[in-house]
Amino acid sequence: MSKMIRIFDTTLRDGEQAAGINLNVEEKLEIARQLAKLKVDVIEAGFAIVSRGDFSGVKTIAEQVKGPAICSLARAVPGDIERAWEAVRAAERPYIHTFIATSKIHMEHKLKKRPEQVVEMAVQAVKLARNLCPEVEFSAEDATRSDWDFLCRIFAEAIKAGATVVNVPDTVKYTVPEEFARLIKYLKENTPGIERVTLSVHCHNDLGMAVANSLAAVLNGANQVECTINGLGERAGNAALEEIVMGLRTRSEFFTADTAIRSEQLYRSSALVSALTGTYVQKNKAIVGENAFAHEAGIHQDGVLKNRLTYEIMTPESIGVPSSKLILGKHSGRHAFKERLQEMGYFLLDEELQKAYERFLEVADKKKEVSEMDLEALVRGELSQVEDFFSLDYFHVASGNKTIPTATVRVKTKDQVIQEASCGDGPVDAIYKAIERITGMQVTLKEYGIKAVTGGKDALGEVSVRVAKNGHTFSGRGVSTDIIEASARAYMNAVNKIARHQQATHS
Ligand SMILES: [Zn+2]
């Protein structure tokens, strides 16, 4: 019998702390919904006390996402814990995660507290949280540099005070698997009451060992792992969720452990987080990288063709990689299109379906054959534009090495059609300036990224942008066989999100 390891996802908290990532509430909600489909056990949705944006992110997710426990981080002080509770209380399964530093250096220099005082703060914090909330996790920050017996003591006290989970973070020691395994074993053997609670680990990847450390901990009694999609996180990031999950599943006979994760949702989760955070996944990244399942070497290819298991330890289907096989053409009807999407797990409303189908026809017209990979990108790019304030009707650009790039753009709104022209530093810049004139919306382009969805000359290009307006950032995605058009669509997508946001905050 495999023991079940809980997956605590902190993409929206620790991952989002990563430099340059600043998701808005809608984007956080979209990711949280995908995490629920993936069947993670806990979603750490943010750090409620930090800002109004963080608070409303956690609260919105708590109100709308069902299935996983919804968690907010809180320091071990009453104000933090009360704010965290306010944010998560509406959840089906509310969860508070409180922490305090336990290493000598942190206690002396950061907290300026004696060890007894730190234990007392932890106990009070856990008691307060448990009075409010059924699930409470206590973390000993910088655990790997803390005295082991002190850790046993503070965890025992936290458990007595009502903690349901105790967590061992490798905050800055950069531990290695054998050493971390010994610590987990020691805690397991010397902490009174630890058998009654969940023992969690939280590893950072500064030396590339976050996953190895987490798995070593699992072998020695940890039953929850904190991790992020694509290993996103501060500095070199956190343990990568997809690697933990597939490591355990692929080598289940060794670990005798598994998770509740629906692995067929891994690829989609990775692609969504990558698109919304603007953080591309390296090609050779384990599990979800573009080349993870590509067998280039001839001898491997030959083996795989004869029997996939010769070199493939897991299948692309098991993590839900859409196939690059051609599946639809421009003669495919609406019904076939709908069925295909449903097979891929997309159940669209009639209106969304109609829009997606129209876009598909436009693309199929240029591309002849459309693969599942293309469809996935199309749906990912188009679905976030449900309610369009502005829709791109027509554009024309003139560009060259000796001309000034100029763009003419026509945009439809609910009751009018507006046309504008502009020049720019390049064709994309010219289009963006024309759109800015039409919508009257001045934004700052923070990031622009482009990638080819599949190979070949007629490949679809997927553009993602991040723009800033009045201190908020918004992402946009666009897909087309024409990269200028994909760029325009991505920008329009972001502008529509701003319009929706303005409407929501003004009404
Ligand atoms: Zn962390």
Side-chain angles (χ1 to χ4, degrees):
M1 244 314 254
S2 286
K3 69 168 177 173
M4 288 308 265
I5 306 300
R6 305 209 312 181
I7 294 294
F8 176 111
D9 179 278
T10 184
T11 306
L12 294 172
R13 204 277 300 165
D14 214 332
E16 216 248 355
Q17 275 173 21
I21 298 176
N22 188 4
L23 299 168
N24 62 37
V25 173
E26 282 179 354
E27 293 165 338
K28 286 180 182 170
L29 187 60
E30 201 175 340
I31 291 176
R33 288 210 165 104
Q34 178 59 33
L35 291 172
K37 276 192 201 159
L38 183 63
K39 283 208 174 308
V40 304
D41 297 276
V42 185
I43 295 174
E44 188 165 49
F47 195 167
I49 192 95
V50 168
S51 69
R52 279 183 58 192
D54 264 71
F55 178 82
S56 68
V58 180
K59 188 159 185 280
T60 309
I61 290 169
E63 285 163 354
Q64 300 194 26
V65 177
K66 304 293 168 213
I70 307 298
C71 164
S72 169
L73 188 63
R75 284 166 303 184
V77 292
D80 273 39
I81 290 167
E82 281 150 12
R83 190 79 173 143
W85 173 241
E86 254 183 84
V88 299
R89 63 185 304 167
E92 210 170 57
R93 281 176 56 202
Y95 188 118
I96 293 176
H97 175 193
T98 186
F99 71 97
I100 195 163
T102 52
S103 62
K104 194 162 174 286
I105 182 166
H106 276 231
M107 291 193 290
E108 269 173 24
H109 298 279
K110 192 176 81 177
L111 299 173
K112 301 196 193 312
K113 298 249 185 291
R114 284 176 288 110
E116 298 72 49
Q117 291 175 297
V118 171
V119 174
E120 189 49 29
M121 281 178 78
V123 167
Q124 292 311 326
V126 171
K127 275 189 181 158
L128 171 60
R130 241 340 263 285
N131 266 332
L132 301 166
C133 185
E135 285 190 85
V136 173
E137 169 169 329
F138 170 71
S139 268
E141 189 191 1
D142 204 13
T144 42
R145 287 196 304 177
S146 305
D147 177 76
W148 287 13
D149 289 321
F150 182 62
L151 274 183
C152 294
R153 191 178 135 209
I154 200 165
F155 280 153
E157 292 298 328
I159 294 166
K160 259 200 275 172
T164 54
V165 180
V166 292
N167 179 41
V168 190
D170 181 27
T171 313
V172 283
K173 183 172 188 193
Y174 316 144
T175 191
V176 297
E178 292 248 310
E179 179 189 53
F180 198 47
R182 258 181 261 152
L183 169 60
I184 298 302
K185 197 158 180 268
Y186 191 86
L187 292 172
K188 205 67 194 163
E189 284 166 0
N190 296 286
T191 308
I194 202 160
E195 66 291 340
R196 288 188 276 121
V197 300
T198 300
L199 177 56
S200 175
V201 293
H202 177 113
C203 298
H204 279 271
N205 203 33
D206 297 76
L207 293 177
M209 285 189 271
V211 169
N213 289 336
S214 307
L215 293 179
V218 165
L219 281 174
N220 286 276
N223 40 17
Q224 174 172 294
V225 176
E226 306 197 355
C227 44
T228 60
I229 301 287
N230 299 337
L232 205 68
E234 282 191 284
R235 307 188 307 272
N238 288 68
L241 182 149
E242 60 279 5
E243 294 176 26
I244 300 280
V245 167
M246 292 313 282
L248 289 175
R249 196 154 292 173
T250 309
R251 297 302 313 278
S252 58
E253 84 299 346
F254 178 76
F255 288 105
T256 58
D258 200 357
T259 66
I261 294 293
R262 286 184 61 206
S263 64
E264 314 79 55
Q265 293 288 336
L266 283 171
Y267 181 85
R268 192 169 296 163
S269 307
S270 164
L272 180 69
V273 168
S274 164
L276 288 183
T277 59
T279 320
Y280 282 107
V281 175
Q282 88 205 45
K283 281 196 173 190
N284 62 337
K285 162 85 175 61
I287 319 293
V288 291
E290 200 181 315
N291 292 352
F293 294 97
H295 296 273
E296 289 288 346
I299 186 166
H300 286 207
Q301 278 178 354
D302 182 56
V304 169
L305 284 177
K306 286 176 181 148
N307 181 342
R308 292 176 81 164
L309 294 179
T310 48
Y311 287 96
E312 251 181 25
I313 57 163
M314 54 194 155
T315 63
E317 293 79 27
S318 68
I319 66 149
V321 178
S323 83
S324 51
K325 272 187 288 185
L326 307 168
I327 49 161
L328 293 171
K330 67 173 174 183
H331 299 297
S332 307
R334 226 178 93 107
H335 188 71
F337 177 76
K338 182 179 172 182
E339 255 179 14
R340 224 37 234 225
L341 282 183
Q342 286 182 348
E343 277 165 34
M344 289 163 64
Y346 288 107
F347 295 88
L348 308 189
L349 302 171
D350 282 348
E351 184 198 350
E352 292 171 332
L353 184 75
Q354 185 55 32
K355 265 187 75 176
Y357 184 60
E358 280 165 18
R359 277 293 290 142
F360 158 75
L361 285 183
E362 281 171 42
V363 168
D365 205 34
K366 294 178 191 151
K367 206 173 152 20
K368 292 189 188 70
E369 285 160 320
V370 178
S371 71
E372 206 173 292
M373 204 84 138
D374 295 325
L375 264 194
E376 181 97 31
L378 263 182
V379 174
R380 198 162 61 228
E382 300 301 316
L383 267 197
S384 45
Q385 349 204 335
V386 192
E387 221 185 292
D388 277 350
F389 286 79
F390 306 105
S391 69
L392 185 67
D393 184 39
Y394 162 94
F395 75 89
H396 176 261
V397 277
S399 178
N401 65 340
K402 298 240 167 107
T403 48
I404 296 169
T406 328
T408 311
V409 179
R410 197 164 64 213
V411 165
K412 277 189 188 159
T413 68
K414 222 170 165 190
D415 35 31
Q416 52 181 334
V417 178
I418 315 169
Q419 183 169 302
E420 274 290 353
S422 181
C423 35
D425 298 330
V428 172
D429 185 48
I431 286 201
Y432 286 7
K433 285 195 170 125
I435 294 176
E436 198 170 290
R437 283 190 182 168
I438 291 172
T439 58
M441 224 180 266
Q442 286 189 334
V443 303
T444 316
L445 182 65
K446 299 282 241 189
E447 260 171 69
Y448 172 95
I450 180 161
K451 88 176 202 216
V453 176
T454 41
K457 271 199 305 191
D458 63 352
L460 282 183
E462 184 175 14
V463 170
S464 37
V465 296
R466 291 193 71 75
V467 302
K469 171 106 183 138
N470 304 336
H472 291 279
T473 55
F474 298 85
S475 68
R477 282 166 280 163
V479 174
S480 171
T481 50
D482 177 323
I483 57 168
I484 307 278
E485 185 186 343
S487 307
R489 287 183 170 278
Y491 197 76
M492 291 293 293
N493 184 206
V495 166
N496 275 314
K497 285 187 186 170
I498 298 175
R500 204 178 341 166
H501 177 80
Q502 286 179 340
Q503 202 188 45
T505 47
H506 289 178
S507 58

